[in-house]
Amino acid sequence: SRSSGFYAGERALAKARQVGIISVVAAGNARQDACGFWPAHSRSVITVGATDRYDRLSSFSNFGRCVDLYAPGTRVLSTLPRGRVGHISGTSMACPVVSGAVAVYLEARPTADAAEVR
């Protein structure tokens, strides 16, 4: 059932955090409260919303108390199929910015736990 799948996913994220894995997830692109979306509402992850080039909330980004922070996610230059490049928007484009920051932080502080990083 859908609820058992959610429960299994939430347990997996909690277990990952317990063993030191830090999960960074997209808040979603529905322009709604991210607390209504999984895994964005999980307490075991860092949830990322998107901003535009003026550091304003992107028009599509989910928002709310379940979003831990925001990163650039509007018109991000990215690779595309068939060797092309172009601009893509979405909270999934903001996540790599935060994942990279987490990696840099952990490189400088390798003993940091998930709570400290968050």
Side-chain angles (χ1 to χ4, degrees), residues 60-86:
F60 51 82
S61 182
N62 284 357
F63 51 83
R65 67 177 174 78
C66 290
V67 177
D68 294 299
L69 71 159
Y70 295 85
T74 300
R75 294 189 44 80
V76 176
L77 189 61
S78 182
T79 57
L80 299 171
R82 296 184 292 279
R84 297 176 300 135
V85 296

mmCIF file of all heavy atoms in Angstrom, residues 60-86:
data_model
loop_
_atom_site.group_PDB
_atom_site.id
_atom_site.type_symbol
_atom_site.label_atom_id
_atom_site.label_comp_id
_atom_site.label_asym_id
_atom_site.label_seq_id
_atom_site.Cartn_x
_atom_site.Cartn_y
_atom_site.Cartn_z
ATOM 1 N N PHE A 60 7.888 28.822 -8.803
ATOM 2 C CA PHE A 60 7.404 27.444 -8.760
ATOM 3 C C PHE A 60 7.718 26.735 -7.441
ATOM 4 O O PHE A 60 7.175 25.682 -7.143
ATOM 5 C CB PHE A 60 8.037 26.629 -9.901
ATOM 6 C CG PHE A 60 9.538 26.769 -9.922
ATOM 7 C CD1 PHE A 60 10.330 26.000 -9.087
ATOM 8 C CD2 PHE A 60 10.143 27.700 -10.750
ATOM 9 C CE1 PHE A 60 11.700 26.153 -9.077
ATOM 10 C CE2 PHE A 60 11.516 27.858 -10.749
ATOM 11 C CZ PHE A 60 12.301 27.080 -9.911
ATOM 12 N N SER A 61 8.636 27.275 -6.651
ATOM 13 C CA SER A 61 9.178 26.557 -5.498
ATOM 14 C C SER A 61 8.168 26.349 -4.379
ATOM 15 O O SER A 61 7.404 27.252 -4.037
ATOM 16 C CB SER A 61 10.374 27.320 -4.918
ATOM 17 O OG SER A 61 10.938 26.616 -3.819
ATOM 18 N N ASN A 62 8.202 25.151 -3.807
ATOM 19 C CA ASN A 62 7.471 24.934 -2.560
ATOM 20 C C ASN A 62 8.177 25.720 -1.465
ATOM 21 O O ASN A 62 9.336 26.119 -1.608
ATOM 22 C CB ASN A 62 7.405 23.452 -2.220
ATOM 23 C CG ASN A 62 6.400 22.707 -3.082
ATOM 24 O OD1 ASN A 62 5.712 23.296 -3.905
ATOM 25 N ND2 ASN A 62 6.305 21.404 -2.892
ATOM 26 N N PHE A 63 7.510 25.918 -0.357
ATOM 27 C CA PHE A 63 7.998 26.800 0.701
ATOM 28 C C PHE A 63 7.462 26.309 2.045
ATOM 29 O O PHE A 63 6.786 25.280 2.107
ATOM 30 C CB PHE A 63 7.522 28.232 0.439
ATOM 31 C CG PHE A 63 6.041 28.306 0.181
ATOM 32 C CD1 PHE A 63 5.130 28.353 1.230
ATOM 33 C CD2 PHE A 63 5.547 28.276 -1.116
ATOM 34 C CE1 PHE A 63 3.759 28.382 0.995
ATOM 35 C CE2 PHE A 63 4.177 28.302 -1.357
ATOM 36 C CZ PHE A 63 3.285 28.356 -0.302
ATOM 37 N N GLY A 64 7.729 27.044 3.093
ATOM 38 C CA GLY A 64 7.158 26.756 4.403
ATOM 39 C C GLY A 64 8.174 26.267 5.414
ATOM 40 O O GLY A 64 9.373 26.186 5.145
ATOM 41 N N ARG A 65 7.674 25.905 6.591
ATOM 42 C CA ARG A 65 8.544 25.553 7.711
ATOM 43 C C ARG A 65 9.347 24.279 7.478
ATOM 44 O O ARG A 65 10.367 24.066 8.139
ATOM 45 C CB ARG A 65 7.746 25.450 9.005
ATOM 46 C CG ARG A 65 6.767 24.324 9.049
ATOM 47 C CD ARG A 65 6.045 24.230 10.411
ATOM 48 N NE ARG A 65 5.017 23.214 10.371
ATOM 49 C CZ ARG A 65 5.252 21.901 10.465
ATOM 50 N NH1 ARG A 65 6.473 21.468 10.606
ATOM 51 N NH2 ARG A 65 4.260 21.036 10.411
ATOM 52 N N CYS A 66 8.934 23.448 6.540
ATOM 53 C CA CYS A 66 9.687 22.216 6.263
ATOM 54 C C CYS A 66 10.885 22.454 5.354
ATOM 55 O O CYS A 66 11.725 21.573 5.187
ATOM 56 C CB CYS A 66 8.768 21.156 5.651
ATOM 57 S SG CYS A 66 7.570 20.512 6.823
ATOM 58 N N VAL A 67 10.985 23.645 4.770
ATOM 59 C CA VAL A 67 12.135 23.979 3.929
ATOM 60 C C VAL A 67 13.237 24.508 4.839
ATOM 61 O O VAL A 67 13.036 25.465 5.584
ATOM 62 C CB VAL A 67 11.769 25.021 2.855
ATOM 63 C CG1 VAL A 67 12.993 25.404 2.041
ATOM 64 C CG2 VAL A 67 10.677 24.481 1.943
ATOM 65 N N ASP A 68 14.389 23.859 4.782
ATOM 66 C CA ASP A 68 15.511 24.261 5.635
ATOM 67 C C ASP A 68 16.252 25.464 5.091
ATOM 68 O O ASP A 68 16.718 26.307 5.854
ATOM 69 C CB ASP A 68 16.484 23.085 5.799
ATOM 70 C CG ASP A 68 15.846 21.939 6.557
ATOM 71 O OD1 ASP A 68 15.467 22.154 7.724
ATOM 72 O OD2 ASP A 68 15.710 20.847 5.974
ATOM 73 N N LEU A 69 16.409 25.528 3.778
ATOM 74 C CA LEU A 69 17.074 26.656 3.153
ATOM 75 C C LEU A 69 16.756 26.691 1.666
ATOM 76 O O LEU A 69 16.174 25.759 1.116
ATOM 77 C CB LEU A 69 18.580 26.611 3.382
ATOM 78 C CG LEU A 69 19.378 25.550 2.663
ATOM 79 C CD1 LEU A 69 20.835 25.987 2.614
ATOM 80 C CD2 LEU A 69 19.301 24.234 3.374
ATOM 81 N N TYR A 70 17.139 27.787 1.061
ATOM 82 C CA TYR A 70 16.881 28.010 -0.362
ATOM 83 C C TYR A 70 18.210 28.218 -1.075
ATOM 84 O O TYR A 70 19.160 28.734 -0.490
ATOM 85 C CB TYR A 70 15.994 29.246 -0.543
ATOM 86 C CG TYR A 70 14.619 29.065 0.049
ATOM 87 C CD1 TYR A 70 14.374 29.303 1.388
ATOM 88 C CD2 TYR A 70 13.567 28.618 -0.742
ATOM 89 C CE1 TYR A 70 13.114 29.106 1.937
ATOM 90 C CE2 TYR A 70 12.301 28.425 -0.202
ATOM 91 C CZ TYR A 70 12.087 28.673 1.132
ATOM 92 O OH TYR A 70 10.844 28.471 1.667
ATOM 93 N N ALA A 71 18.248 27.820 -2.336
ATOM 94 C CA ALA A 71 19.449 27.967 -3.153
ATOM 95 C C ALA A 71 19.019 28.301 -4.577
ATOM 96 O O ALA A 71 17.858 28.105 -4.946
ATOM 97 C CB ALA A 71 20.263 26.673 -3.125
ATOM 98 N N PRO A 72 19.950 28.789 -5.398
ATOM 99 C CA PRO A 72 19.585 29.135 -6.774
ATOM 100 C C PRO A 72 18.981 27.938 -7.517
ATOM 101 O O PRO A 72 19.557 26.848 -7.534
ATOM 102 C CB PRO A 72 20.929 29.538 -7.398
ATOM 103 C CG PRO A 72 21.754 29.984 -6.232
ATOM 104 C CD PRO A 72 21.342 29.104 -5.095
ATOM 105 N N GLY A 73 17.814 28.162 -8.118
ATOM 106 C CA GLY A 73 17.139 27.086 -8.831
ATOM 107 C C GLY A 73 16.383 27.532 -10.063
ATOM 108 O O GLY A 73 15.709 26.732 -10.700
ATOM 109 N N THR A 74 16.502 28.803 -10.421
ATOM 110 C CA THR A 74 15.823 29.321 -11.610
ATOM 111 C C THR A 74 16.841 29.560 -12.719
ATOM 112 O O THR A 74 17.852 30.228 -12.506
ATOM 113 C CB THR A 74 15.086 30.641 -11.290
ATOM 114 O OG1 THR A 74 14.109 30.380 -10.271
ATOM 115 C CG2 THR A 74 14.394 31.204 -12.510
ATOM 116 N N ARG A 75 16.567 28.969 -13.880
ATOM 117 C CA ARG A 75 17.425 29.122 -15.056
ATOM 118 C C ARG A 75 18.886 28.767 -14.761
ATOM 119 O O ARG A 75 19.805 29.530 -15.047
ATOM 120 C CB ARG A 75 17.301 30.510 -15.658
ATOM 121 C CG ARG A 75 15.927 30.780 -16.241
ATOM 122 C CD ARG A 75 15.813 32.067 -17.041
ATOM 123 N NE ARG A 75 16.923 32.335 -17.956
ATOM 124 C CZ ARG A 75 17.081 31.795 -19.168
ATOM 125 N NH1 ARG A 75 16.201 30.939 -19.634
ATOM 126 N NH2 ARG A 75 18.112 32.120 -19.925
ATOM 127 N N VAL A 76 19.092 27.585 -14.230
ATOM 128 C CA VAL A 76 20.432 27.085 -13.928
ATOM 129 C C VAL A 76 20.980 26.420 -15.188
ATOM 130 O O VAL A 76 20.322 25.573 -15.797
ATOM 131 C CB VAL A 76 20.384 26.076 -12.759
ATOM 132 C CG1 VAL A 76 21.764 25.485 -12.501
ATOM 133 C CG2 VAL A 76 19.821 26.740 -11.506
ATOM 134 N N LEU A 77 22.174 26.809 -15.580
ATOM 135 C CA LEU A 77 22.808 26.213 -16.756
ATOM 136 C C LEU A 77 23.131 24.755 -16.453
ATOM 137 O O LEU A 77 23.743 24.438 -15.433
ATOM 138 C CB LEU A 77 24.071 26.978 -17.130
ATOM 139 C CG LEU A 77 24.728 26.610 -18.450
ATOM 140 C CD1 LEU A 77 23.772 26.869 -19.617
ATOM 141 C CD2 LEU A 77 26.009 27.396 -18.638
ATOM 142 N N SER A 78 22.705 23.869 -17.342
ATOM 143 C CA SER A 78 22.858 22.439 -17.101
ATOM 144 C C SER A 78 23.088 21.702 -18.412
ATOM 145 O O SER A 78 22.827 22.232 -19.491
ATOM 146 C CB SER A 78 21.580 21.909 -16.432
ATOM 147 O OG SER A 78 21.708 20.540 -16.144
ATOM 148 N N THR A 79 23.559 20.476 -18.283
ATOM 149 C CA THR A 79 23.666 19.628 -19.463
ATOM 150 C C THR A 79 22.275 19.105 -19.821
ATOM 151 O O THR A 79 21.415 18.930 -18.960
ATOM 152 C CB THR A 79 24.606 18.442 -19.205
ATOM 153 O OG1 THR A 79 24.134 17.703 -18.077
ATOM 154 C CG2 THR A 79 26.022 18.919 -18.951
ATOM 155 N N LEU A 80 22.084 18.860 -21.092
ATOM 156 C CA LEU A 80 20.825 18.343 -21.618
ATOM 157 C C LEU A 80 21.126 17.110 -22.472
ATOM 158 O O LEU A 80 22.286 16.863 -22.823
ATOM 159 C CB LEU A 80 20.131 19.407 -22.474
ATOM 160 C CG LEU A 80 19.752 20.716 -21.772
ATOM 161 C CD1 LEU A 80 19.277 21.748 -22.792
ATOM 162 C CD2 LEU A 80 18.710 20.470 -20.715
ATOM 163 N N PRO A 81 20.112 16.361 -22.825
ATOM 164 C CA PRO A 81 20.346 15.189 -23.691
ATOM 165 C C PRO A 81 21.023 15.567 -25.011
ATOM 166 O O PRO A 81 20.930 16.706 -25.477
ATOM 167 C CB PRO A 81 18.926 14.664 -23.938
ATOM 168 C CG PRO A 81 18.128 15.140 -22.772
ATOM 169 C CD PRO A 81 18.711 16.480 -22.421
ATOM 170 N N ARG A 82 21.674 14.595 -25.594
ATOM 171 C CA ARG A 82 22.351 14.720 -26.888
ATOM 172 C C ARG A 82 23.480 15.758 -26.876
ATOM 173 O O ARG A 82 23.692 16.472 -27.847
ATOM 174 C CB ARG A 82 21.346 15.001 -27.999
ATOM 175 C CG ARG A 82 20.367 13.848 -28.215
ATOM 176 C CD ARG A 82 19.434 14.064 -29.374
ATOM 177 N NE ARG A 82 18.475 15.132 -29.178
ATOM 178 C CZ ARG A 82 17.333 15.046 -28.494
ATOM 179 N NH1 ARG A 82 16.999 13.921 -27.928
ATOM 180 N NH2 ARG A 82 16.522 16.077 -28.386
ATOM 181 N N GLY A 83 24.183 15.854 -25.729
ATOM 182 C CA GLY A 83 25.357 16.708 -25.637
ATOM 183 C C GLY A 83 25.083 18.197 -25.634
ATOM 184 O O GLY A 83 25.993 18.988 -25.866
ATOM 185 N N ARG A 84 23.863 18.576 -25.378
ATOM 186 C CA ARG A 84 23.519 19.999 -25.389
ATOM 187 C C ARG A 84 23.602 20.587 -23.976
ATOM 188 O O ARG A 84 23.697 19.866 -23.001
ATOM 189 C CB ARG A 84 22.098 20.205 -25.925
ATOM 190 C CG ARG A 84 21.947 19.758 -27.380
ATOM 191 C CD ARG A 84 20.534 19.874 -27.894
ATOM 192 N NE ARG A 84 19.641 19.041 -27.089
ATOM 193 C CZ ARG A 84 18.451 19.435 -26.629
ATOM 194 N NH1 ARG A 84 17.985 20.622 -26.890
ATOM 195 N NH2 ARG A 84 17.708 18.613 -25.911
ATOM 196 N N VAL A 85 23.569 21.908 -23.885
ATOM 197 C CA VAL A 85 23.458 22.616 -22.617
ATOM 198 C C VAL A 85 22.304 23.592 -22.720
ATOM 199 O O VAL A 85 21.945 24.027 -23.814
ATOM 200 C CB VAL A 85 24.764 23.360 -22.226
ATOM 201 C CG1 VAL A 85 25.897 22.391 -21.996
ATOM 202 C CG2 VAL A 85 25.130 24.381 -23.275
ATOM 203 N N GLY A 86 21.730 23.922 -21.588
ATOM 204 C CA GLY A 86 20.630 24.875 -21.565
ATOM 205 C C GLY A 86 20.248 25.202 -20.133
ATOM 206 O O GLY A 86 20.850 24.685 -19.184
#
